[in-house]
Amino acid sequence: MKIVLTFIFTVILFGNALAQKEKDSLFIAWNNLKLQDSVRINALSDLIQSHYLFKKTDSALVLSKQMLDLAEKKKNIKFEIEANTLIGKVYFELKNFSAGEKMYNKGLELAKKSKDSFLYAEKLFDLGYMYSKYEEYTNAFKTLQKSEKFYRELGDALNEGWSIAHQGFIYRDLGDYKEAEKYHKKHLELSEKHKIKKSISAAYGNLGEVYHKLGDLPKSIEYWKKAIRLSKEINLEQYANVGTGKLVEIYIIEKQFSVATKYLKEYIAVTEKFPIPKYEKDFLMKIKLWECQIAYGFKNYTNALKKCEECLKINKVNKWNLESGLFKSLYEVNKKLNKPAIALDYFEKYLITVDNEKVNKARTEIQSIVFNNQLVADSIAQAKEKEILNLTYEEGLRKKNQEKNLFLTIGLLALLSAIAYFVISRRMAASERKRLNEINSLKNVLFTNITHEFRTPLTVIKGMTDNIKSNLKNNHQDDLENSLEIIDRNSDGLMHLVNEMLDLAKIESGNMGLNLVQVDIIPITKYLTQSFHALAEEKGITFSVHSDVEHLKMDIDVNKFTTIITNLFSNAIKFTSENGEVNVHIKKIEVHKTDYIEIKVMDNGLGISKEKQLHIFDKFYQVDNSSSKLQKGTGIGLALAKDFVELMNGSIDVESKLGKHSVFSIKIPITNSADLMNDPELVTNSSIIKITTPTNVSENNQSINIYDESLPLVLIIEDNQDVANYIKSCLIENFQILHAINGAIGIEIALEKIPDIIISDVMMPVKDGFEVCKHLKTDILTDHIPIIILTAKATFEDRLTGLNHGADAYLTKPFDKAELLTRIEQLILLRKKMLSKFEKTGIDKLLIKNIKNSEIKFLNKVVTIIDANVNQTHFGPIQLAKKIHFSEAQLYRKLKATSGKSTAVFIRSIRLQKGRELIQTTDKTISEIAYDVGFNDPSYFSRAFKDEFGLSPSAISK
């Protein structure tokens, strides 16, 4: 152990000594006035970037300004460019982005004036890289696109490729690995075209990493091995070793510990040749962690513990961020060595690091949403600039783009504020393990719901934008107004969510103020109730308002009061069943000699348990019982209502009985100190929750394109009407379409109609998509139907849950039309291949093989029933349906889907197969056999036999 640690510290000290020697050498060169200016400035640039920029950033700023002074004094524009861009980098590192952009752009302008196109392109690329490094992804993407274009015009394929690759890195960092794959493939194609081996090797490695993240480990191994071979061929041994390390990781995951050991030895041999690594500074830590995991895999727990502890010490020496994998290994090893106290300590540390990693992942996902939404907004803006849309809609689009840009700016700040709140709340002591788990669960629900609330409208916005582009390209403008209205409605929904989160952030920081005016509160309240009558009528809910007072002037913040009331009204209607009641009662009361207005919102809906009532006003809290699946959201509304009521010195309470009723009461003290306002238009549009919805389908289903029964039948199970309409617009030309507005109705329609394919959302009322999958995949009627899960729940765990319930494909919102159609076509093609195999193999042979498949089991059951009644000439589809307890239509569609044959043809095929068997095994005549298998006419039996088998009965050998 001591020898190993001595070696580790020796390597670290040796590396530090070399670095210090290089630093001293560069400093001497800079201060040597006898040297040429170019030598001195290059030495200073290397000194700043290699030794000061990230460690002593303030010193880096001083030195880079000295460099600029010398460059300006010497009037050397090239040095001025270098100095200005370097100062920009320093400011970026100091998180002063506005100053950084200013200085860097000054350098860019000088580069443009110098007419050195290569230098300009280089600095443009560096700026894109820097934006990406500091997570300014939208600016990074646009800048890298520019550098790609410049390098292409200059004929510099090498750096054009790197610009493309770094665009792929942006999507990789945002967790969109499928999109990242496209850019790295594009980089590979360009590099192969120009035979740039170094770039080809890098592209292989980048694709290997992408496939690793996508979970396609065989493909990841393939590309990493290609990268390793080519890197060795061109003497990039250290880069090849990065790939070797990746193979070690993959084979450990695959539990192929012998193979992992082989590659680890190779990895160690290369690191010993290069004590100062070019790519991986943490190689010593990685080696020890891999040795620990391999030893654990071989059940050598004592050695595994030794290696893990060495890894931990290396981390502490270098002050690197500790990853969950190390703590997990230490927990597992100590558990195996029967050291429960130590194991528990590491387990708690493991949970905390996993928690932090999940927060970072959620933060990245939100950045990805904002990034993609910005690209969508830019796409619409470009369409406007090119005058694609006619003049009637140009002004409207301009205003929408301004709103979207405002939404993006405010939204990112608000969402990051919310994330910061959760990060802080999770820094807990180990003794609060239970509380940590509760908060972790809360956070997962929060980000799941917020992500869903963002991704669903983004699906519609992105999809409708693509439709607009396609229609305009084909000179179709018929549905343009409706598409823009849908985009507008969903943009408003996103804006409302962001406004709510921004309000929460303001309240949390203590920056939320009141804008009090003196108004008559009764007509305002009644006006707000009118907005909800239509929504109540849609569900058959009786919605009534009663006020004990006709007029009551008092001080209120109208917009905040509106938010309070609309949240209470909308919740009451949402959580009240059809034909229920919602009553609003307004009265003036006196408490401790103070006058209050009291507003009670009463419903006979789902109710809330006493335990849940304690948390109902907590931020992001949602009741998680089965009844709450009727509606979804983010858990913001009631928390915001409570904060606003308390801001006006009021109170809000709930009294409820589970399954019976709920009563929400607000009391606000009556004061008359603010300015008197008589303007009836006090309630702003932004303060009212937009409760208008697209036209809903009926409670059963909506069928489209049913006139062409030759087309495949698709069932869409989606509660969001805009999303459902968009999916319909993608499929309407090639499919019959059914639509269900929730999971329960979807199951009913699927059992009745037996569609060819089902597209289902996950987060839905009554029954969610996972329940739909589980039900349909375990029902003999529907277990053959391919199901595509279409959802905003994009985590690996969600995908695994969907697949475990029988989902055949998983499509994440927002999605492309092409991607949806491709998934459907693949599943239909798979079904056709299976039916083709069925026809070639024959039903009898498949049944003999005893394949344990639900479809084969079903066919076996059907064949058994037919065999038992084969000699009865009247036995047909009606009788078979009764025996198997299906309707005729259900049996027809089920048999058509699983065998490719109608019920009548399938029964005839079984009769004929039985007839062929009797011909081969008995001495009966053809006529006797025909009657035995249920044919009235031996001549018809012979014709049908020849059609089925290609031979007449008499030609069959005994």
Side-chain angles (χ1 to χ4, degrees):
M1 176 75 168
K2 288 181 180 178
I3 295 171
V4 172
L5 287 176
T6 302
F7 167 72
I8 291 167
F9 289 125
T10 301
V11 170
I12 292 169
L13 289 171
F14 178 63
N16 290 339
L18 286 176
Q20 185 60 44
K21 185 177 179 181
E22 182 190 40
K23 178 180 174 183
D24 293 341
S25 175
L26 291 169
F27 210 93
I28 290 168
W30 161 242
N31 286 297
N32 189 345
L33 301 178
K34 294 180 180 179
L35 292 175
Q36 290 183 351
D37 292 333
S38 59
V39 175
R40 291 181 63 214
I41 286 181
N42 286 332
L44 182 57
S45 178
D46 290 342
L47 180 67
I48 294 168
Q49 297 191 76
S50 300
H51 300 281
Y52 283 95
L53 182 56
F54 305 111
K55 296 178 182 178
K56 297 180 179 180
T57 313
D58 291 331
S59 299
L61 183 59
V62 173
L63 290 171
S64 57
K65 285 183 176 179
Q66 289 179 13
M67 180 178 170
L68 180 58
D69 288 341
L70 179 61
E72 289 176 341
K73 184 178 178 182
K74 298 294 183 179
K75 295 183 179 180
N76 187 316
I77 191 169
K78 189 173 182 180
F79 293 157
E80 285 185 52
I81 294 165
E82 187 65 30
N84 276 290
T85 54
L86 187 51
I87 292 171
K89 288 181 182 179
V90 175
Y91 276 126
F92 265 85
E93 184 63 21
L94 289 168
K95 303 295 185 290
N96 188 344
F97 298 124
S98 59
E101 285 183 321
K102 181 180 178 182
M103 293 304 298
Y104 204 100
N105 285 327
K106 186 177 177 183
L108 272 178
E109 284 301 314
L110 289 171
K112 187 181 284 188
K113 288 178 182 178
S114 73
K115 297 184 180 179
D116 187 338
S117 299
F118 284 96
L119 180 60
Y120 178 75
E122 176 193 333
K123 294 303 177 185
L124 198 61
F125 173 82
D126 285 346
L127 179 59
Y129 169 78
M130 195 159 54
Y131 274 134
S132 179
K133 178 183 175 183
Y134 295 101
E135 299 183 352
E136 291 283 331
Y137 292 118
T138 304
N139 287 333
F141 191 78
K142 292 177 181 178
T143 306
L144 288 167
Q145 283 185 319
K146 288 179 183 177
S147 72
E148 176 192 351
K149 180 183 176 183
F150 267 96
Y151 279 126
R152 187 184 304 118
E153 291 171 353
L154 293 169
D156 186 345
L158 174 66
N159 287 306
E160 178 191 349
W162 284 121
S163 299
I164 295 167
H166 278 267
Q167 291 170 57
F169 293 152
I170 290 172
Y171 280 105
R172 180 202 65 190
D173 293 344
L174 291 170
D176 191 346
Y177 303 117
K178 291 299 292 181
E179 197 66 26
E181 178 192 12
K182 295 177 186 176
Y183 283 88
H184 292 311
K185 280 187 172 180
K186 184 180 177 182
H187 181 206
L188 178 60
E189 289 171 4
L190 180 68
S191 303
E192 287 177 336
K193 177 182 177 181
H194 293 278
K195 299 179 181 178
I196 309 169
K197 290 187 176 182
K198 182 177 179 180
S199 293
I200 295 171
S201 172
Y204 282 150
N206 292 332
L207 284 167
E209 182 66 10
V210 165
Y211 291 126
H212 190 174
K213 295 292 186 183
L214 286 169
D216 191 344
L217 298 185
K219 213 164 186 179
S220 179
I221 291 170
E222 174 193 343
Y223 275 94
W224 273 120
K225 284 184 175 179
K226 286 181 178 181
I228 292 167
R229 278 197 301 271
L230 186 55
S231 297
K232 287 179 178 178
E233 181 185 317
I234 57 178
N235 296 319
L236 290 177
E237 197 169 359
Q238 287 199 71
Y239 183 72
N241 212 37
V242 173
T244 305
K246 292 294 181 181
L247 292 180
V248 176
E249 288 181 11
I250 292 170
Y251 284 118
I252 288 173
I253 293 169
E254 294 282 86
K255 300 189 185 304
Q256 297 184 36
F257 299 111
S258 297
V259 183
T261 302
K262 169 194 162 189
Y263 283 106
L264 179 56
K265 287 177 180 177
E266 184 181 328
Y267 183 86
I268 292 171
V270 175
T271 58
E272 288 173 351
K273 290 174 62 177
F274 301 97
I276 300 180
K278 184 176 181 181
Y279 299 103
E280 297 181 300
K281 293 182 180 179
D282 59 347
F283 71 95
L284 285 173
M285 184 273 293
K286 288 184 175 180
I287 289 170
K288 295 305 169 187
L289 179 58
W290 293 335
E291 286 177 339
C292 166
Q293 291 169 337
I294 290 170
Y296 183 85
F298 284 129
K299 299 183 179 179
N300 187 349
Y301 303 124
T302 304
N303 189 41
L305 179 60
K306 175 185 171 185
K307 299 298 182 183
C308 273
E309 287 178 341
E310 289 173 6
C311 178
L312 189 61
K313 287 182 180 178
I314 295 169
N315 264 284
K316 288 180 179 177
V317 170
N318 290 277
K319 297 180 181 178
W320 287 324
N321 289 329
L322 292 168
E323 295 182 0
S324 59
L326 175 56
F327 286 130
K328 183 181 179 184
S329 296
L330 282 162
Y331 155 67
E332 290 174 338
V333 170
N334 279 287
K335 185 180 176 184
K336 289 291 185 183
L337 291 172
N338 198 24
K339 298 179 179 180
I342 299 173
L344 180 59
D345 180 53
Y346 282 122
F347 181 67
E348 289 175 340
K349 290 176 180 177
Y350 164 67
L351 288 178
I352 291 170
T353 52
V354 165
D355 193 59
N356 292 337
E357 288 167 5
K358 285 182 177 180
V359 168
N360 289 333
K361 183 179 178 182
R363 173 177 148 279
T364 299
E365 184 164 54
I366 289 171
Q367 285 178 312
S368 178
I369 290 169
V370 174
F371 171 74
N372 283 300
N373 199 33
Q374 179 66 66
L375 295 186
V376 172
D378 289 347
S379 174
I380 297 175
Q382 288 170 8
K384 176 183 173 293
E385 289 168 7
K386 295 176 182 178
E387 296 184 345
I388 293 177
L389 300 177
N390 58 45
L391 293 175
T392 306
Y393 301 106
E394 281 186 351
E395 182 62 22
L397 280 176
R398 184 183 65 79
K399 290 179 180 177
K400 289 183 179 66
N401 288 332
Q402 288 175 345
E403 289 175 358
K404 289 182 179 68
N405 289 334
L406 176 62
F407 144 68
L408 288 166
T409 304
I410 297 173
L412 183 56
L413 290 173
L415 290 170
L416 291 179
S417 297
I419 294 166
Y421 168 81
F422 281 95
V423 173
I424 294 168
S425 69
R426 281 161 179 75
R427 302 289 191 246
M428 301 187 140
S431 61
E432 294 181 292
R433 182 74 260 145
K434 183 178 179 181
R435 178 168 167 78
L436 180 65
N437 288 336
E438 288 173 353
I439 292 176
N440 183 53
S441 175
L442 180 65
K443 179 209 68 181
N444 288 335
V445 172
L446 161 68
F447 283 114
T448 295
N449 291 329
I450 285 182
T451 300
H452 184 276
E453 295 300 311
F454 269 87
R455 284 179 176 269
T456 298
L458 279 174
T459 298
V460 178
I461 293 170
K462 187 175 186 301
M464 287 302 176
T465 302
D466 290 342
N467 282 354
I468 289 172
K469 288 181 181 178
S470 176
N471 290 339
L472 290 172
K473 189 176 181 181
N474 298 317
N475 293 321
H476 295 153
Q477 298 188 17
D478 298 342
D479 203 36
L480 189 59
E481 186 174 357
N482 182 52
S483 297
L484 289 171
E485 184 183 334
I486 292 171
I487 290 172
D488 187 40
R489 179 166 57 243
N490 283 271
S491 298
D492 286 341
L494 286 172
M495 181 69 81
H496 174 70
L497 175 59
V498 170
N499 285 340
E500 283 194 331
M501 297 208 58
L502 183 57
D503 285 342
L504 277 181
K506 284 181 179 178
I507 291 169
E508 198 69 31
S509 62
N511 293 324
M512 177 64 77
L514 286 173
N515 183 23
L516 294 174
V517 292
Q518 190 178 159
V519 294
D520 189 342
I521 199 169
I522 305 303
I524 289 178
T525 307
K526 288 183 176 180
Y527 166 73
L528 292 172
T529 61
Q530 291 172 6
S531 305
F532 287 86
H533 279 294
L535 189 62
E537 285 175 6
E538 281 184 18
K539 295 182 69 176
I541 293 171
T542 302
F543 186 58
S544 63
V545 183
H546 173 71
S547 177
D548 290 354
V549 288
E550 287 293 323
H551 299 282
L552 179 58
K553 288 191 176 182
M554 61 180 288
D555 302 336
I556 59 166
D557 184 318
V558 178
N559 286 343
K560 291 178 179 59
F561 179 75
T562 300
T563 299
I564 296 164
I565 294 300
T566 52
N567 268 303
L568 294 179
F569 288 178
S570 62
N571 277 348
I573 293 171
K574 278 195 289 185
F575 293 101
T576 298
S577 303
E578 289 183 11
N579 304 316
E581 291 183 8
V582 175
N583 299 306
V584 180
H585 188 196
I586 308 167
K587 65 180 178 179
K588 180 180 177 182
I589 63 172
E590 183 179 323
V591 180
H592 302 306
K593 297 183 179 180
T594 301
D595 290 335
Y596 288 82
I597 182 170
E598 181 184 62
I599 301 174
K600 286 188 176 183
V601 181
M602 300 165 281
D603 67 68
N604 61 350
L606 301 175
I608 309 161
S609 69
K610 287 186 177 180
E611 181 187 352
K612 307 298 182 186
Q613 288 175 40
L614 297 173
H615 304 286
I616 197 70
F617 296 110
D618 291 351
K619 294 175 181 65
F620 310 118
Y621 182 81
Q622 290 184 294
V623 178
D624 59 358
N625 58 40
S626 59
S627 299
S628 68
K629 290 179 183 177
L630 287 166
Q631 298 296 336
K632 56 183 180 289
T634 59
I636 294 173
L638 285 177
L640 200 60
K642 179 177 182 288
D643 286 335
F644 283 171
V645 169
E646 291 177 351
L647 204 60
M648 290 187 277
N649 299 314
S651 63
I652 183 168
D653 301 291
V654 61
E655 184 273 314
S656 183
K657 189 172 182 180
L658 188 62
K660 297 290 184 180
H661 68 271
S662 294
V663 180
F664 282 84
S665 304
I666 63 167
K667 300 182 185 72
I668 300 173
I670 299 171
T671 60
N672 300 97
S673 304
D675 293 336
L676 184 64
M677 298 289 291
N678 296 312
D679 188 352
E681 299 295 328
L682 281 170
V683 181
T684 65
N685 290 332
S686 62
S687 65
I688 301 177
I689 297 173
K690 203 159 192 178
I691 59 170
T692 56
T693 58
T695 304
N696 285 325
V697 293
S698 70
E699 280 296 303
N700 296 311
N701 64 79
Q702 179 177 348
S703 299
I704 301 175
N705 200 26
I706 57 173
Y707 55 84
D708 190 349
E709 293 187 358
S710 65
L711 294 174
L713 180 63
V714 176
L715 169 60
I716 301 166
I717 309 176
E718 169 62 69
D719 62 318
N720 185 294
Q721 190 63 34
D722 284 338
V723 175
N725 286 338
Y726 168 60
I727 298 171
K728 289 174 189 176
S729 72
C730 295
L731 306 180
I732 194 167
E733 293 181 3
N734 300 304
F735 297 91
Q736 301 178 75
I737 299 171
L738 299 169
H739 175 216
I741 60 172
N742 64 51
I745 295 172
I747 290 171
E748 290 175 10
I749 295 173
L751 292 171
E752 180 187 351
K753 300 295 184 181
I754 320 295
D756 296 294
I757 197 161
I758 294 172
I759 302 169
S760 175
D761 190 14
V762 168
M763 297 178 71
M764 290 186 298
V766 189
K767 287 185 182 291
D768 64 28
F770 295 147
E771 289 174 295
V772 170
C773 268
K774 184 178 180 181
H775 190 109
L776 296 181
K777 287 297 185 178
T778 53
D779 193 298
I780 191 172
L781 263 174
T782 53
D783 57 11
H784 68 283
I785 303 173
I787 299 177
I788 297 175
I789 288 289
L790 179 69
T791 184
K793 299 181 78 173
T795 65
F796 174 76
E797 290 81 5
D798 292 321
R799 290 172 182 267
L800 196 60
T801 302
L803 295 172
N804 285 339
H805 282 91
D808 297 270
Y810 214 100
L811 203 59
T812 304
K813 299 176 183 177
F815 59 89
D816 293 321
K817 177 180 178 180
E819 187 179 6
L820 173 64
L821 292 175
T822 300
R823 293 290 176 92
I824 293 174
E825 286 168 6
Q826 287 174 341
L827 290 172
I828 290 176
L829 182 62
L830 193 64
R831 169 67 50 185
K832 286 180 179 178
K833 285 181 179 178
M834 190 204 74
L835 292 177
S836 176
K837 181 181 178 182
F838 218 81
E839 290 178 6
K840 290 178 182 177
T841 307
I843 295 171
D844 54 338
K845 291 180 181 178
L846 277 174
L847 296 178
I848 291 169
K849 287 182 180 180
N850 195 27
I851 299 171
K852 293 183 179 180
N853 173 295
S854 60
E855 296 176 33
I856 298 299
K857 287 180 181 178
F858 165 74
L859 291 174
N860 213 339
K861 183 178 180 180
V862 173
V863 170
T864 301
I865 293 171
I866 296 171
D867 279 344
N869 298 275
V870 72
N871 60 347
Q872 298 179 30
T873 57
H874 69 279
F875 189 83
I878 297 173
Q879 291 73 27
L880 178 58
K882 286 181 179 178
K883 291 277 185 182
I884 208 164
H885 306 297
F886 287 6
S887 70
E888 283 187 72
Q890 287 173 331
L891 180 60
Y892 175 85
R893 290 198 61 80
K894 176 74 177 181
L895 276 175
K896 192 73 175 175
T898 52
S899 69
K901 298 180 179 181
S902 67
T903 312
V905 172
F906 187 87
I907 294 172
R908 191 186 72 173
S909 293
I910 300 304
R911 291 183 189 276
L912 292 170
Q913 286 170 14
K914 184 67 175 177
R916 183 173 64 174
E917 181 186 330
L918 292 174
I919 292 171
Q920 293 174 329
T921 58
T922 68
D923 294 320
K924 291 183 177 182
T925 65
I926 301 299
S927 295
E928 289 175 328
I929 290 170
Y931 292 122
D932 283 348
V933 295
F935 283 80
N936 283 327
D937 183 357
S939 298
Y940 175 65
F941 170 77
S942 297
R943 292 196 303 275
F945 192 99
K946 189 170 184 180
D947 289 339
E948 183 82 12
F949 303 114
L951 296 169
S952 64
S954 58
I956 298 294
S957 301
K958 296 283 185 180

